[in-house]
Amino acid sequence: NNNEIYFNKFQKYFDQWFEFLKINQYDPIDYCIQFAIKSSSIDKVVLGVDNFSQFKRLLNYKNYKLLKKFELSQPVPNNLINPSLWDFL
């Protein structure tokens, strides 16, 4: 799969992300939804689903009272966070 090959070079970022979630006992979906909703730099949030089960999951996200900020040990490369730079699309 081309996207797996492309993203393998960013594994250290994903490892840090999942370690942060594990240490803080955050669900990845809940954290992302809440981050987007609480961020002052984000005006609107669009969520997509493939089926009704995913839709119900989004409606029942867990609201964390205190959301710790995730910070990486180094800056994230643009070719990871900007989909227009992904060369497998």
Side-chain angles (χ1 to χ4, degrees), residues 50-66:
D50 292 320
N51 55 51
F52 187 68
S53 176
Q54 291 177 357
F55 178 70
K56 286 189 339 186
R57 168 67 180 90
L58 291 177
L59 291 178
N60 294 310
Y61 82 93
K62 182 177 180 183
N63 185 7
Y64 300 110
K65 298 227 182 277
L66 296 173

Side-chain angles (χ1 to χ4, degrees), residues 4-47:
E4 286 180 23
I5 294 168
Y6 178 79
F7 287 112
N8 279 342
K9 60 187 167 191
F10 302 114
Q11 190 59 49
K12 65 182 175 185
Y13 299 102
F14 298 123
D15 291 344
Q16 287 180 43
W17 163 246
F18 285 110
E19 183 64 19
F20 167 80
L21 294 172
K22 182 179 175 182
I23 289 170
N24 293 289
Q25 299 179 337
Y26 290 137
D27 175 86
I29 294 171
D30 294 338
Y31 185 90
C32 291
I33 291 171
Q34 199 159 347
F35 173 83
I37 290 171
K38 290 184 175 191
S39 177
S40 62
S41 62
I42 299 175
D43 295 328
K44 303 220 183 313
V45 177
V46 176
L47 303 170

